[in-house]
Amino acid sequence: MLDKRHNPLPGFGLTMGFTLFYLTALVLIPFAGLIIRTLGMTWGDFWHLATTDRALAAYRMTFGASLAAAAANAVFGSLLAWVLVRYDFPGRRLVDAMVDFPFALPTAVAGLTLANLFAANGWLGQFLVPWGIKGAFTPLGVVIALTFVGLPFVVRTLQPVLENLEPEIEEAAATLGSSRLRTFLTILAPTLFPAVLTGFALAFARAVGEFGSIVFISGNLPFKTEIAPYLIIMRLEEYDYSGAIALAVVLLCFSFLFLGAINMLEQWSGRFQR
Amino acid sequence: MSIELRDVSKSFGGVSAVDRVSFAIREGELMALLGPSGGGKTTVLRMIAGLEMPSSGDVLIRGQRVNDISVQQRNIGFVFQNYALFKNMNVSKNIAFGLKIKNWKRQDIQQRIAELLQLFGLEGLEKRYPHQLSGGQRQRVAIARALAPKPSVLLLDEPFGAVDAKIRQELREWLVTLHHELNVTTVFVTHDQEEALEVSDRIVIISGGRLAQIGTPREVYDQPANEFVARFIGVMNVLETEVRGGQARVGELEFPAPDQPDGQKMRIGFRPYAVQVSSDLTAFRYHAVLRRTFFLGVLLRLELELPSGLLLRTRMTKEEYSVQGLEDGKEVSFNIKQFRVLARESSALLPENEVQYQAPPVMGEHI
Amino acid sequence: MAGALPKRNAASNVQSRRGTEESPFVKWVLISIAMSFCLVFLFVPLVNVFAQALTKGLGYYWTSLTHPDSWAAIKLTLLVGAICVPLNVVFGLAAAWAIAKFEFRGKSLLITLIDLPFSVSPVVAGLMFVVLFGLQGFFGRWLNEHEIRIIFAVPGIILATVFVTFPFVARELIPVMQSTGSEQEQAAMTLGASGWQTFWHVTLPSVKWGLLYGVILCNARAMGEFGAVSVVSGHITGLTDTMPLRVEKLYNEYNAPAAFALASLLALLALLTLVVKTFMEWRQARRYERAQHH
């Protein structure tokens, strides 16, 4: 490891100075602004604004749908990662590349196309709506959009873990008489679980802040499909800065709690490794 | 016979890894599968276990053909090179795994674990996880886990490969003791000839996917079946000679070769200890200069250069060296009291790309 | 005992690792479920974008794209990208140089701060700038008096987009620069190269692929950002509508084919991003393989 004092390379002062300046100007000052405005409120005001009935409904929608979507991704993402790592089949590489598509696609486009697909006359909606499965303007639509947005997380956290599993572990279980299913349940599943949980948490955190893909499909019906970020925008349009800020701070706190939880999870996943 | 292979071949995607190998292992035997890396010995072991299926030929365990029996049902214990301990389970749970699958009763499992922990000197470690164990401890847990369900054979893949040199010697002795106590048929793979000679009852030497020789350590050392075995086991001087007048000759050296026609090429091999050396120039018929002396501890290795330029290797104890008053550059006389005519191994046995086994004019490898 | 004829058993070749692999039936069931999921959530939505864009034919597609308001949105989006990406590239290079080549206290705190925008909802990010520069914001009165417009104008859109895309380039560059170490730069210095020469001829070439990927990601996100921009733009048609905002507007005006036409351009951008990413991974794998052979 190099030490700054003994490193002959130039440019530390310049690059560090610029980094700090840019970081301060574009990230820290906006953050500070939000915090100062929050501290300007009394606790009573803040609590009142952050816990209106409509806000509570929006949190419920945001966190509930995010949880459902992250759970769906934990199941299907794990399956997808397993299939991509373990099996060879036509189109595997194409699918593997496409897993990142939700990362790359602007959320507005995702929302647009999903809303269209699940509408009563859409490609998928025309089969699903007669069965009572309505995507457009329902909480289910929100879950669908968030599942799309969070799809890469579980797959991409689990894939490297699966690739690095020693095949000998499974062979050892087999030589001891263990069936495939038993090996999976008693050895593979506990080994993979922390990675799945990390992916789940990442997908959940992403979903909580998501906005673009949902506004198209949910219809933004207050108390029904309205999500917290949308309510922030509503408050802003009413020039209710304090109301918007109170909601934003609640969302931010959740984001940071999650960031901390994810870090702890990652350390926990490493605990059986040397 | 505990384990038998009959004409077993295995190829991976058209590349032959094991080619028509047959041998049998007796009940209770401690057998080494020895050969250079990439020679197919691990594949042979994995086929016995059922982790690989032979492309052709039969594998028999206790007289029963097991080709169609899955690895789960073969009742073998397998110890992997990197041990493959279950990282999410502690020592007890690792050992109990195979017993639970065989539906042992709870008390029986507890009793068996206690028994094995004691036998393997692992008491007090039962709640530790694999990452909290030393290399030697991990290996013992791996063997205990493999032995727990009382397998009919124990298979070990390079069991001493992953531990450092100091513990290795200890583990070797321990494996021999363990084998004497349990008397379970044991097969282990190694690329280290010393290890194979020291530990095993018999050695199967495999090279280039083929069986080169099978025999006791004494047999393969004293009567190597061919030049490959001769060179792989211990050190051997190998000379390329040509027969003239009933003598195989190279440089000034002559070896009796009665009944051989003139012009016949012959390979002559002899161990370093077969070369007698004296500082008395009249003691033996050949003369050479002592080029270099290598100190290896109790033994010294000497390199002799003949007037014709041939180099020979020999060895001598420290005491004899000083009694004889030898030193580098001194002229000596010597004789070769034993030699063997080496069968030329067929080209299939030693693929042409295995350069390391092609003979320079004179050589000896290892120490 | 010995001398049994070699039997060629074709079946045993197929299932050479029986017992340690799933049966073909289980395998294909799992593959089918996973692929159905991908079909519904990845491929159908992608194809739908283009299919819907072209429902009224190529002519309508073209007219929708060249409609003055849409055209203005495309130009604004390109402008936002053209400003945000170079800014974040300069920042990414500077931050990666300082973090990867030097040791200093508080390094992990700095990395956490750089990652911060990732964990902020885009809407909240936009709100932060409204709080600073909006009419009721900290600088709102002063800006109003001097007739400088940030919120509901292009500068606000750019600020919000820079915030949201802030970590992308730095995030790609830091690990690449860390893995190359600083021996090469030090070697160049001993040969008499100046700091800038070393950077141009040694550092930049060794991180160019990571940089390219960072740029592509940053650009895709900058052009596609919706939430943050939606808060600060004011949705003034023809002036402060970026492509994603215009897509929403067209969709709300029940002009789906035009919305999809504009969306198809953004989808193409996403596909391009994936192609570059896949190419880079392929290239890296090939280099790794080569290194193994030598």
Side-chain angles (χ1 to χ4, degrees), chain B residues 2-3 48 61 75-78 151-155 184-187:
Chain B
S2 179
I3 301 171
I48 297 173
I61 295 180
N75 193 28
I76 47 102
F78 199 105
S152 57
V153 290
L154 178 64
L155 308 171
V184 58
T185 310
T186 304
V187 185

Side-chain angles (χ1 to χ4, degrees), chain C residues 62-77 237-238 241-243 246-247 250 255 258-259 261-262 265:
Chain C
W62 186 246
T63 340
S64 324
L65 289 183
T66 51
H67 181 283
D69 292 341
S70 294
W71 190 238
I74 293 173
K75 281 195 292 192
L76 178 61
T77 300
T237 305
D241 266 347
T242 60
M243 284 164 76
R246 179 86 190 136
V247 166
L250 288 168
N255 191 351
L262 214 50
L265 294 184

Side-chain angles (χ1 to χ4, degrees), chain B residues 321-333:
Chain B
Y321 191 82
S322 54
V323 167
Q324 299 253 13
L326 291 175
E327 59 181 23
D328 286 3
K330 197 160 181 174
E331 201 176 344
V332 296
S333 70

Side-chain angles (χ1 to χ4, degrees), chain A residues 2 7 22 87 100 180 209, chain C residues 22 88 101 103 121 182 277:
Chain A
L2 286 164
N7 192 337
Y22 193 80
Y87 307 141
D100 283 325
R180 243 352 244 165
Chain C
E22 294 75 45
N88 280 333
K101 307 287 181 192
E103 285 304 311
S121 170
S182 53
K277 178 179 189 285

Side-chain angles (χ1 to χ4, degrees), chain B residues 119-132:
Chain B
L119 180 64
F120 285 77
L122 292 166
E123 297 112 318
L125 302 177
E126 47 272 63
K127 296 282 171 249
R128 296 253 186 111
Y129 283 86
H131 71 277
Q132 298 165 317

Side-chain angles (χ1 to χ4, degrees), chain A residues 81-101:
Chain A
W82 175 272
V83 163
L84 288 175
V85 171
R86 289 299 175 101
Y87 307 141
D88 207 4
F89 53 91
R92 186 181 65 86
R93 289 158 79 83
L94 176 71
V95 173
D96 193 16
M98 271 298 281
V99 166
D100 283 325
F101 183 61

Side-chain angles (χ1 to χ4, degrees), chain C residues 77-127:
Chain C
T77 300
L78 291 174
L79 176 74
V80 168
I83 293 173
C84 291
V85 173
L87 276 176
N88 280 333
V89 164
V90 173
F91 164 73
L93 284 169
W97 180 269
I99 287 169
K101 307 287 181 192
F102 300 91
E103 285 304 311
F104 53 88
R105 289 216 287 170
K107 189 192 254 194
S108 57
L109 176 69
L110 182 62
I111 295 176
T112 312
L113 287 178
I114 290 175
D115 275 345
L116 205 58
F118 271 154
S119 48
V120 173
S121 170
V123 172
V124 176
L127 173 70

Side-chain angles (χ1 to χ4, degrees), chain A residues 1-2 4 7 9-10 12 15 19 22 26 37 87 100-101 112-113 116 148 180 209 212 236 241 248 255, chain C residues 22 41 45 48 52 88 91 94-95 97 101-103 119 121 127 130 136 163 166 182 185 226 231 251 277:
Chain A
M1 271 289 157
L2 286 164
K4 174 181 112 193
N7 192 337
L9 292 179
F12 180 74
T15 54
T19 302
Y22 193 80
L26 283 158
R37 279 301 292 254
Y87 307 141
D100 283 325
F101 183 61
L112 178 72
T113 181
N116 178 279
F148 174 86
R180 243 352 244 165
L236 270 179
Y241 277 26
S255 303
Chain C
E22 294 75 45
F41 277 93
N48 190 50
Q52 296 299 328
N88 280 333
F91 164 73
W97 180 269
K101 307 287 181 192
F102 300 91
E103 285 304 311
S119 48
S121 170
L127 173 70
V130 174
Q136 300 175 41
F163 180 95
F166 189 84
S182 53
E185 280 85 357
F226 182 79
V231 176
Y251 176 75
K277 178 179 189 285

